Amino acid sequence: MVSAPLIAIEDLTVDFANGPHVSRAVDGIALQLAPAEALGIVGESGSGKSVTWLAALGLLPGKAAVRGSVRLDGRELVGAPPRELEAVRGKRIAMIFQDPSSCLNPVHRIGWQLGEALRLHRGLDRRAADAEALRLLDQVGIADARRRLGDYPHQLSGGLNQRVMIAMALAGQPDLLVADEPTTALDATIQAQILDLLRAVRRDTGMAMVLISHDLGVVAENVDRVAVMYAGRLVEEAPGQELFARPRHPYTQGLLAALPELTGRRRRLAAIPGTVPEPGSLPAGCRFAPRCPAADHRCAIEAPPIQSVAVHHRTNCHRQIEPGFSVWSLPKAAE
Amino acid sequence: MSPLLEAVDLHRHYSVRTGGGLFAGKAVLRAVDGVSFRIRAGQTLGLVGESGCGKSTTGKLALGLIPPSSGEMRYDGERMPAAGSPAWRALRRRLQMVYQDPLGALDRRLPIGTQIAEPLVIHGIGAVSERRDRALSIMESVGLQRHQFGRYPHELSGGQRQRVVLARALITEPRLLVCDEPISALDVSIQAQVVNLLLDLQERLGIAYLFISHDLRIVRQVSHDVAVMYLGRIVERGDAENVFARPAHPYTRALVSAIPTVGDKRERILLGGDPPSPANVPPGCSFHTRCPFATAQCRSEIPTLQPQDDGREVACHRVRETALRLVA
């Protein structure tokens, strides 16, 4: 984080126009990512965790208004001409999604689709592209790669399709891979294979990664640093071990307390009451205040600023929760 | 004590076409292939496994929604009547189902109160005003508010919709609820709300659950016993805490080790490849193609569930070999 960041997001805001209504999906996010670093983004549906990165890459539809700054190696991406963005997407920054089969073209063979990515991003001719496609499938652990190049996506399992997507993402030799819930649709044993593959690829290539997930376990095991988002805002950010051992924001504490464990004594889960606010009707002040057992009247009216609470540990909470104390042990939380 | 629900050597096979065109052939898809279990009143059996392992089909068999190809389902010691028969309909009051997708299970054109009371109409229970009262009272017990009676499904959040589905299932005072991935579509913070609700309802009403899920952590949280399925068969069964703390079958061990954790790191057994298709189940132990411990015996002989010293049952030829513990 001390070296020049690979990507720096400053005060990023995304508004969606819905007729006369404007709903704010992302509200003033600031994040940095160093080369080769792995950053996890955690949050529930509607937290803005995916929209942040779609906005950064200029992939949102026209009704989305994006403000703020996203710099890749110092070059501004917000408002950049389409041609410049096209040179970034796939080449410098690649993205993979939850459902690989919807991202692959069903009427083209795997080999053709990989070849297209290689011609586009690397300018390889047919013969070189064929050889490289084979090497990529091999790199992502697909056995019998030559035969698979002739397969259509529907002939492959979900796990194999996700491997193909990763191969396509690697085709441009990107500096950053944004993986949006890459294993959510997969079974547990296949998820473990894919996460293992991503680790191996990063070890070999030094590629940075943003791992977006609702699964705290997946994030904990696969990234260096974690950012927690809630209702469009960044609520806490820290190195993974620090965040999971000493969470300071009531929402992060709540997410961890709501997670059942696989071993040890069974305890009653702490359930965060209420639901995530709708983007159209966000509470004033702290967005989490209506669900927070530690909220006071200041939380209801004044948005908390993000501030440092320890080395590399930031949180936006008025209450400045002491490390080691969980607000979910307050009597109010047990209601 | 006789179990509330008992499955005896259930099989459910489908005949399917393989390939296409001239070379199309027929195969037997063994969705459920010899499954037995018991659920006692007020207890929860967790059924875990990956997609295609037959856990949802087992859930449908448990309710008598589909007939088994062979074997039988017993409710209170009696054989389950055929689906659609008057006896089965009468029984259905006591056996209800909750699915993963609450929006798909609800009618978006009807207010939720009407939908919650609907099973009473179907079973001809109570007068109109009594049905309304019962719907309101069950709404309260699942944490919905009375004023939401006239709301439509789209006006509610995902967690609230799942509460509506639960209320509708509970209104006939069932003794068993089959829950098929009931919380998989919900956010983490809402999952905990619904899990706590299910546990409270069980304590208060003495309902038994057949809880089907791929999420081992949630299953452990709600289950007394757990059964692990692979390709239509139960490979390990026993006390939920015990099985997840000390999984014995190599598949259970891989499954448990594949769960990413926030806390301490555990051994990780990475399985190669995908599970085979249930239309093409390997001979012998169906797990042998992915098992790091497989021997010639595993490739030819189907292992049966054998009781172990700690009360669990495991279907593995090599489970008693202490050497296996050292390998991983």
Side-chain angles (χ1 to χ4, degrees), chain B residues 214-260:
Chain B
H214 70 281
D215 188 329
L216 268 52
R217 286 180 293 213
I218 298 282
V219 166
R220 189 185 96 112
Q221 184 72 15
V222 300
S223 304
H224 299 92
D225 294 319
V226 65
V228 182
M229 286 186 74
Y230 188 77
L231 284 175
R233 295 186 192 131
I234 292 176
V235 298
E236 181 163 3
R237 173 167 70 195
D239 172 78
E241 282 194 44
N242 196 20
V243 165
F244 290 143
R246 284 168 295 279
H249 193 283
Y251 177 64
T252 317
R253 287 168 69 186
L255 206 55
V256 166
S257 83
I259 307 304

Side-chain angles (χ1 to χ4, degrees), chain A:
Chain A
M1 274 174 289
V2 187
S3 60
L6 173 67
I7 195 158
I9 299 179
E10 287 293 335
D11 203 22
L12 186 75
T13 295
V14 180
D15 288 320
F16 283 98
N18 192 357
H21 303 287
V22 174
S23 53
R24 181 151 290 188
V26 175
D27 190 15
I29 295 286
L31 269 177
Q32 294 196 348
L33 187 71
E37 196 187 7
L39 171 71
I41 311 271
V42 169
E44 299 179 278
S45 39
S47 63
K49 58 189 193 299
S50 299
V51 174
T52 299
W53 296 93
L54 292 173
L57 288 173
L59 287 171
L60 289 175
K63 64 174 184 173
V66 180
R67 278 186 294 272
S69 160
V70 177
R71 288 205 168 84
L72 176 68
D73 277 338
R75 279 227 320 264
E76 182 60 54
L77 297 184
V78 173
R83 174 171 285 191
E84 247 177 72
L85 282 175
E86 275 160 24
V88 167
R89 290 195 292 251
K91 181 83 189 89
R92 302 287 317 278
I93 305 176
M95 204 161 173
I96 57 173
F97 299 92
Q98 176 172 343
D99 180 11
S101 57
S102 70
C103 299
L104 291 166
N105 191 329
V107 302
H108 287 298
R109 297 175 195 274
I110 300 298
W112 187 92
Q113 301 191 49
L114 263 171
E116 186 190 36
L118 287 163
R119 286 189 293 274
L120 199 68
H121 298 307
R122 302 256 295 276
L124 298 183
D125 65 27
R126 172 94 188 257
R127 179 175 296 215
D130 281 353
E132 180 65 3
L134 220 80
R135 193 194 65 79
L136 281 169
L137 284 193
D138 203 46
Q139 187 184 3
V140 298
I142 292 182
D144 202 2
R146 190 169 295 280
R147 189 168 60 85
R148 290 302 186 191
L149 285 174
D151 279 350
Y152 291 94
H154 75 265
Q155 293 173 287
L156 305 182
S157 67
L160 279 178
N161 271 325
Q162 194 58 286
R163 287 179 191 268
V164 171
M165 278 308 298
I166 294 170
M168 289 188 58
L170 296 177
Q173 298 174 315
D175 300 308
L176 170 65
L177 176 71
V178 178
D180 189 354
E181 303 272 8
T183 59
T184 304
L186 304 175
D187 276 322
T189 60
I190 310 298
Q191 164 169 289
Q193 292 174 3
I194 296 293
L195 292 172
D196 193 59
L197 168 65
L198 286 173
R199 260 192 300 276
V201 166
R202 292 191 50 242
R203 196 177 51 230
D204 295 344
T205 62
M207 174 179 75
M209 176 171 75
V210 170
L211 179 63
I212 302 171
S213 180
H214 71 286
D215 188 323
L216 294 160
V218 165
V219 167
E221 289 192 349
N222 293 285
V223 303
D224 310 311
R225 199 153 51 91
V226 181
V228 183
M229 290 184 68
Y230 183 77
R233 286 189 188 143
L234 187 71
V235 297
E236 186 158 10
E237 187 206 339
Q241 292 203 326
E242 161 86 2
L243 186 96
F244 293 116
R246 281 175 295 279
R248 302 288 282 275
H249 194 284
Y251 177 62
T252 315
Q253 293 185 345
L255 279 184
L256 287 166
L259 204 65
E261 281 148 24
L262 202 56
T263 52
R265 219 171 63 83
R266 272 184 283 199
R267 55 174 173 89
R268 188 173 173 85
L269 302 177
I272 303 175
T275 54
V276 175
E278 298 286 321
S281 54
L282 295 169
C286 172
R287 299 266 162 89
F288 189 60
R291 304 176 74 188
C292 180
D296 59 16
H297 76 279
R298 183 181 172 202
C299 304
I301 49 175
E302 194 185 315
I306 193 137
Q307 47 199 322
S308 266
V309 289
V311 182
H312 302 313
H313 193 159
R314 300 187 295 157
T315 172
N316 79 339
C317 176
H318 287 309
R319 299 304 312 270
Q320 297 286 320
I321 311 294
E322 287 299 312
F325 176 76
S326 169
V327 301
W328 300 95
S329 61
L330 290 170
K332 206 181 157 193
E335 280 168 19

Side-chain angles (χ1 to χ4, degrees), chain B residues 69-100:
Chain B
S69 310
S70 68
E72 72 178 40
M73 225 38 245
R74 292 186 195 138
Y75 177 78
D76 254 348
E78 305 267 329
R79 190 188 183 119
M80 180 87 64
S85 65
W88 180 74
R89 279 199 197 120
L91 197 61
R92 274 302 307 256
R93 277 178 65 176
R94 303 293 177 217
L95 304 169
Q96 293 282 358
M97 178 114 187
V98 174
Y99 294 97
Q100 173 173 1

